[in-house]
Amino acid sequence: MKTLLVFSRLIDAVTESVGKAVGWLILIAVLVSAGNAVVRKAFNISSNAWLEAQWYLFGGAFMLAAAYTLAQNEHIRIDVVYGKFSRRVQHWIDLLGHCLFLMPFVLLMIYYLVPYVLMSYRSGEGSSSAGGLIVWPAKAILLAGFLLLAAQGVSEIIKKIAIMRGDMDDPTPYVPTHAPLDTAIAEEKGA
């Protein structure tokens, strides 16, 4: 288990580095968007390439940060139901969810994306819009995002098993982020 935990920490480090770095893609996308709007309005010049660059940047940020979101235990779940269970049951729910839903979906996406990206790359596929960008980098970002998510899924499975066996402390103890409805209503009336 120690070797697997070292492997898990390596995956976590890569995921964290990529996750923090891709946050800058949002800023770049906003700057490209603003610059494109200014040039279009001020000089009546527009470019499909700049529009597509915005999409690529935002898509890259979304796809490449998905693994980081998983590592931070910030993916969407039904807190109302999940929060009612003991932490041990929550670990089992997470482990089964990772094994039965996350990993099959991610591996299926990788299986289909590899030939999809390769075909696009080999053909030099370009945008269907005049003056647009080549398409394979956007498709490669999809593949990279799912590869990172698969690796982080493996890391999360390793950590869940280690936590449940008592080989490591829980790095993200669950704290409900939403107050029960009756508490929220009582707080509103008291305010």
Side-chain angles (χ1 to χ4, degrees):
M1 184 54 82
K2 287 182 182 183
T3 305
L4 290 174
L5 286 171
V6 169
F7 180 62
S8 174
R9 282 192 287 277
L10 175 66
I11 292 170
D12 290 349
V14 169
T15 297
E16 185 167 348
S17 296
V18 171
K20 288 182 176 179
V22 299
W24 289 101
L25 294 179
I26 298 294
L27 175 62
I28 296 168
V30 167
L31 294 174
V32 167
S33 177
N36 193 31
V38 168
V39 168
R40 187 175 62 245
K41 295 294 183 188
F43 304 107
N44 201 26
I45 299 172
S46 186
S47 165
N48 285 332
W50 286 108
L51 289 172
E52 290 179 8
Q54 293 169 219
W55 302 337
Y56 285 18
L57 290 165
F58 184 75
F62 180 82
M63 285 306 302
L64 298 173
Y68 180 68
T69 305
L70 179 62
Q72 298 300 310
N73 197 29
E74 293 294 331
H75 273 277
I76 296 171
R77 64 169 53 94
I78 303 171
D79 289 338
V80 175
V81 175
Y82 186 82
K84 294 192 182 296
F85 295 114
S86 70
R87 190 62 182 131
R88 180 149 180 86
V89 172
Q90 290 174 354
H91 288 307
W92 274 105
I93 290 170
D94 289 342
L95 179 62
L96 292 173
H98 294 332
C99 292
L100 299 177
F101 298 105
L102 175 69
M103 294 308 292
F105 172 72
V106 169
L107 294 175
L108 186 66
M109 290 303 297
I110 291 169
Y111 176 78
Y112 283 112
L113 279 170
V114 168
Y116 182 68
V117 172
L118 287 174
M119 186 171 52
S120 180
Y121 174 75
R122 288 179 184 145
S123 69
E125 182 181 4
S127 172
S128 59
S129 300
L133 300 174
I134 54 175
V135 175
W136 70 263
K139 291 180 178 181
I141 288 170
L142 279 172
L143 178 58
F146 278 108
L147 288 169
L148 279 170
L149 192 55
Q152 190 60 46
V154 169
S155 175
E156 295 303 311
I157 290 168
I158 291 168
K159 289 187 289 191
K160 286 295 171 192
I161 292 170
I163 291 167
M164 292 166 63
R165 288 177 37 146
D167 293 335
M168 73 177 278
D169 292 332
D170 188 355
T172 54
Y174 177 74
V175 178
T177 56
H178 304 287
L181 184 59
D182 54 350
T183 306
I185 292 171
E187 288 176 1
E188 278 184 26
K189 286 181 181 179

